[in-house]
């Protein structure tokens, strides 16, 4: 295995519970990690955390009660924090310097609340994935394309703030950057579009 493959992606779970959106994102990260020969660790999990069924059978996935600081106490320099406020953008060469990539397990918010700062305080070296906020699964996907496939950040096809159309009269704009699939659609976890539609319908029902 070359130094650029077989990376470890750690998502430090920072939300109090595992909501349905995060669950779909984590399942997508685990499936892609298994397919691409990487490891996915979900760290800092509360004791009552129940590993979803779809993750239990995934050989690339590991659930951890310990936080990243404890896991990599002796070897902090191997860990790169993906940080929207970092001064330097991620590059394929970073795949030679780091073999662990750390992300905030935070749902995207608009405007961004900078909760990644909780990880920045721990002193890991940071890299940015360009100027736009990505969902956590997109951030992991883009990092893998850069450090494992060695594609420059600005050569990846993106779609920014895509509009999801549910019907002729119903659509939602997503305030994030996604990787663009060949058919032009944003790459999203399986089941996410349906969940977004369900939440939008519920928000509308609650208004009446
Ligand atoms: N609004 C958020 C915050 O409070 O920091 C951003 C959360 S984002 C949905 C989840 C994680 O994806 C971040 O903690 C970060 O690790 C990664 N991420 C997303 N967009 C990024 C970017 N443009 N550059 C670097 N990391 C990014």
């Amino acid at each position: 295995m070359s130094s650029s493959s077989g990376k470890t992606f750690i998502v430090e779970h920072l939300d109090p519970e595992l909501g349905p959106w995060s669950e779909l994102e984590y399942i997508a990260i685990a499936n892609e990690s298994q397919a691409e020969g990487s490891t996915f660790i979900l760290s800092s999990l509360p004791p009552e955390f129940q590993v979803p069924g779809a993750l239990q059978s995934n050989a690339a996935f590991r659930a951890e009660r310990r936080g990243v600081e404890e896991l990599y106490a002796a070897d902090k320099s191997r860990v790169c924090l993906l940080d929207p406020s970092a001064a330097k953008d991620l590059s394929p060469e970073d795949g030679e310097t780091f073999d662990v990539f750390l992300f905030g397990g935070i749902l995207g918010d608009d405007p961004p609340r900078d909760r990644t700062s909780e990880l920045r305080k721990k002193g890991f070296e940071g890299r940015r994935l360009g100027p736009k906020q990505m969902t956590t699964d997109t951030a992991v996907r883009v990092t893998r394309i850069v450090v494992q496939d060695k594609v420059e950040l600005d050569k990846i096809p993106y779609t920014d703030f895509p509009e999801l159309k549910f019907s002729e009269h119903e659509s939602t704009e997503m305030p994030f950057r996604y990787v663009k699939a060949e058919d032009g659609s944003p790459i999203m976890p399986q089941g996410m579009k349906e969940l977004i539609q369900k939440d939008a319908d519920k928000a509308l029902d609650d208004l009446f």
Side-chain angles (χ1 to χ4, degrees):
M1 201 176 271
S2 82
S3 61
S4 57
S5 60
K7 299 296 187 194
T8 295
F9 301 109
I10 303 189
V11 174
E12 180 105 332
H13 189 66
L14 295 172
D15 281 333
E17 51 187 54
L18 179 75
W21 286 50
S22 310
E23 183 171 333
L24 292 184
E25 291 189 358
Y26 295 161
I27 292 169
I29 297 169
N31 288 342
E32 288 175 34
S33 297
Q34 188 164 24
E36 302 289 336
S38 17
T39 300
F40 169 37
I41 300 175
L42 195 50
S43 60
S44 221
L45 289 170
E48 65 280 5
F49 178 83
Q50 298 281 335
V51 177
L55 292 177
Q56 279 171 17
S57 53
N58 185 300
F61 174 76
R62 203 172 97 206
E64 260 295 344
R65 297 239 175 109
R66 290 174 295 173
V68 64
E69 261 182 312
E70 199 184 330
L71 286 171
Y72 285 92
D75 219 352
K76 257 185 148 168
S77 64
R78 290 168 57 209
V79 182
C80 172
L81 170 66
L82 282 302
D83 179 357
S85 298
K88 216 171 149 187
D89 277 347
L90 187 74
S91 73
E93 296 74 59
D94 289 317
E96 312 304 320
T97 314
F98 305 104
D99 45 17
V100 181
F101 294 86
L102 170 63
F103 304 81
I106 310 160
L107 278 181
D109 41 18
D110 185 31
R113 278 184 297 157
D114 190 26
R115 288 185 49 212
T116 309
S117 58
E118 291 177 39
L119 295 172
R120 189 179 310 132
K121 282 187 221 138
K122 299 181 193 286
F124 295 105
E125 172 109 19
R127 292 287 185 273
R128 196 182 71 148
L129 296 168
K132 301 223 161 67
Q133 184 181 191
M134 299 172 180
T135 59
T136 308
D137 63 297
T138 303
V140 175
R141 187 170 300 117
V142 167
T143 299
R144 195 184 44 248
I145 295 172
V146 174
V147 300
Q148 289 194 184
D149 303 344
K150 303 273 178 214
V151 177
E152 298 281 348
L153 200 56
D154 60 1
K155 298 283 184 299
I156 299 173
Y158 300 110
T159 170
D160 294 338
F161 315 129
E163 194 185 3
L164 300 184
K165 262 190 144 324
F166 303 119
S167 69
E168 209 184 316
H169 304 290
E170 211 188 339
S171 68
T172 299
E173 189 187 86
M174 302 305 293
F176 310 115
R177 165 171 278 187
Y178 295 86
V179 177
K180 187 159 73 175
E182 276 182 14
D183 65 0
S185 64
I187 297 182
M188 285 187 166
Q190 216 182 348
M192 184 59 92
K193 193 174 168 192
E194 292 74 11
L195 187 61
I196 292 166
Q197 181 173 16
K198 208 171 90 193
D199 284 359
D201 288 347
K202 189 176 173 300
L204 207 63
D205 284 350
D206 289 349
L207 278 178
F208 298 107

